[in-house]
Amino acid sequence: LGRRLMAVRVPDDALARDPARIEGMFSAIVPRYDLMNRLMTAGLDRRWRRLAAAQAGLRPGDEALDACCGTGDLALALARSCVGCRVTGADLSAAMLARAREKTAGWGEAGARVDFVRADLLALPFAADRFAAAAVAFGVRNVSDPSAAFAGLSRVVRPGGRVVCLEMTTPPPGPGRHFHALWSDRLVPLLGGMIAGHGGAYSYLPASVATFPAADGLAAVMTGAGLTDVRYRRLGLGAVSLHVGVVP
């Protein structure tokens, strides 16, 4: 993964989110959530989740956490990345978790090693040092305090374990930023209205990215939350970043 970064301050008011509104919005789009993920990313989101799972550094028999698990795709990727590993998927949306449990039946042996619980990323109900690693995909930008989120993830991961974050961020200046602006600001809300019947939810997407730190700023947030050796790489023409930090 890319370069190590020094901390910079991110304005707290730029990251404000309403948990009840976010939960209701995601619950409303469950029926077409997976389909929209494939369409929005040209199917690359599955590959990105596999990359994130590989960065968790799991060993046979480890236990991992997928926070903000949604319908469970990253949880499955984590389970498949490691022989005998168990995975707990946690999400605030009961509707998302219900869909994730439905999908588990088709996941075979790997699915049998995944459990789902309802939990808030900012108030994880797990014992300290329980997990070998924790990962979160496309969820941190939806909470009111990303620094607290990473501190909570660090608390439940044992020393030396990794915290992995796959998230949408603003691309650096260049063609990728122009393409991302056209795609996410105009076409994604249109697709959301036509396919998911909820254009408002998919209008939220570009708005949430615009008020979220860029890749280097997010690395700084993770460092400020106490993680060490924080590194990242950009994906999807720079519109997605994969960050990894180590629990000291």
Side-chain angles (χ1 to χ4, degrees), residues 164-179:
V164 181
C165 178
L166 181 67
E167 188 54 271
M168 297 188 67
T169 54
T170 301
R177 178 177 291 187
H178 295 304
F179 175 81

Side-chain angles (χ1 to χ4, degrees), residues 61-64 75-76 78-88 104 107-115:
D62 279 345
E63 184 177 10
L76 175 60
L78 287 164
R80 285 177 169 170
S81 74
C82 177
V83 176
C85 286
R86 296 207 61 87
V87 180
T88 297
T104 301
W107 289 350
E109 185 274 336
R113 293 186 276 109
V114 181
D115 298 306

Side-chain angles (χ1 to χ4, degrees), residues 5-234:
L5 299 170
M6 301 298 291
V8 296
R9 186 176 180 276
V10 178
D12 295 335
D13 57 356
L15 305 177
R17 298 292 188 271
D18 179 349
R21 181 175 67 87
I22 297 297
E23 180 186 0
M25 180 185 68
F26 278 101
S27 295
I29 62 175
V30 167
R32 294 291 184 269
Y33 180 76
D34 290 333
L35 175 59
M36 282 297 298
N37 282 346
R38 305 295 99 80
L39 293 174
M40 287 189 302
T41 66
L44 290 173
D45 63 300
R46 286 175 169 169
R47 177 177 180 272
W48 297 337
R49 285 181 172 88
R50 289 195 297 268
L51 291 174
Q55 287 298 323
L58 297 174
R59 298 178 179 179
D62 279 345
E63 184 177 10
L65 172 66
D66 172 13
C68 298
C69 68
T71 60
D73 286 345
L74 179 56
L76 175 60
L78 287 164
R80 285 177 169 170
S81 74
C82 177
V83 176
C85 286
R86 296 207 61 87
V87 180
T88 297
D91 201 278
L92 190 59
S93 169
M96 285 283 182
L97 292 171
R99 177 60 183 142
R101 293 186 181 103
E102 289 176 2
K103 290 166 64 175
T104 301
W107 289 350
E109 185 274 336
R113 293 186 276 109
V114 181
D115 298 306
F116 295 101
V117 298
R118 192 179 184 199
D120 187 341
L121 179 57
L122 295 180
L124 294 172
F126 307 113
D129 303 341
R130 171 174 167 176
F131 300 102
V136 55
F138 308 114
V140 172
R141 76 177 188 285
N142 298 318
V143 302
S144 60
D145 191 342
S147 181
F150 285 116
L153 291 169
S154 299
R155 180 187 66 81
V156 301
V157 173
R158 66 195 185 201
R162 294 182 179 182
V163 172
V164 181
C165 178
L166 181 67
E167 188 54 271
M168 297 188 67
T169 54
T170 301
R177 178 177 291 187
H178 295 304
F179 175 81
H180 175 70
L182 173 64
W183 179 250
S184 65
D185 293 357
R186 299 188 180 184
L187 297 180
V188 166
L190 181 62
L191 284 173
M194 293 172 58
I195 296 173
H198 205 309
Y202 290 95
S203 294
Y204 164 81
L205 175 64
S208 67
V209 174
T211 57
F212 193 70
D216 55 351
L218 183 57
V221 171
M222 294 175 67
T223 300
L227 291 162
T228 64
D229 194 28
V230 176
R231 301 173 184 275
Y232 71 87
R233 63 181 289 189
R234 291 188 175 96

